[in-house]
Amino acid sequence: MSTLTLAQASEIVDSALGHAHELGLRPLAVTVLDPGGHPLVVKREETAGILRPQLAHAKAWGCLGTGQGGAASARYAIRDPAFFTALAAISEGRVASCKGGALIRDAAGELLGAVGVSGDRPDNDEAAAVFGVEKTGLIADVG
């Protein structure tokens, strides 16, 4: 059984933020959670909005809770908004069904955790998340 280390989680967050700077994105918050939904690393850029860490957490936590990446959840939320409204209520608002979240897997496909990024447009948040995970040599499963 593989485990996501603190060093890997830190590298994911720092790589995602570095990539966001290269792309000229707005200030971000990035969080990496273990498979149980517990934070390993959370960083919020100085000028990112005050809710960005909670949104990043909700994106990552939603991926873990639904077992799919944020892109898949976003597609399903459009097709069945009543279900995702119920999901938000059931989870006490801890799920954000939108791009910017990804499951983190090893080469064998084993779930190691999830990453969530918030601060820019959802597609850009997702790009930063994927870059950070892949830079670490792991697989970002966005759905």
Side-chain angles (χ1 to χ4, degrees):
M1 178 178 187
S2 297
T3 302
L4 186 65
T5 67
L6 180 60
Q8 288 172 308
S10 295
E11 183 179 352
I12 290 168
V13 171
D14 291 340
S15 295
L17 290 171
H19 188 61
H21 285 239
E22 291 172 5
L23 296 175
L25 303 186
R26 290 180 284 202
L28 302 178
V30 183
T31 188
V32 173
L33 307 179
D34 70 13
H38 305 286
L40 289 171
V41 177
V42 179
K43 285 192 178 181
R44 177 192 154 272
E45 292 185 288
E46 298 88 342
T47 57
I50 62 171
L51 289 176
R52 293 302 172 189
Q54 291 89 338
L55 289 165
H57 184 97
K59 289 179 180 187
W61 201 84
C63 291
L64 291 170
T66 62
Q68 60 189 7
S73 290
R75 286 191 306 273
Y76 293 134
I78 291 168
R79 287 196 310 243
D80 192 356
F83 173 76
F84 280 89
T85 299
L87 182 63
I90 292 164
S91 70
E92 299 175 348
R94 292 181 290 193
V95 172
S97 300
C98 56
K99 288 184 173 184
L103 296 170
I104 302 169
R105 298 188 183 278
D106 65 13
E110 187 173 340
L111 179 66
L112 303 178
V115 59
V117 177
S118 179
D120 205 278
R121 299 187 53 81
D123 287 335
N124 292 335
D125 290 348
E126 181 178 278
V130 169
F131 184 89
V133 172
E134 291 180 351
K135 182 79 172 173
T136 312
L138 298 170
I139 298 166
D141 178 358
V142 297

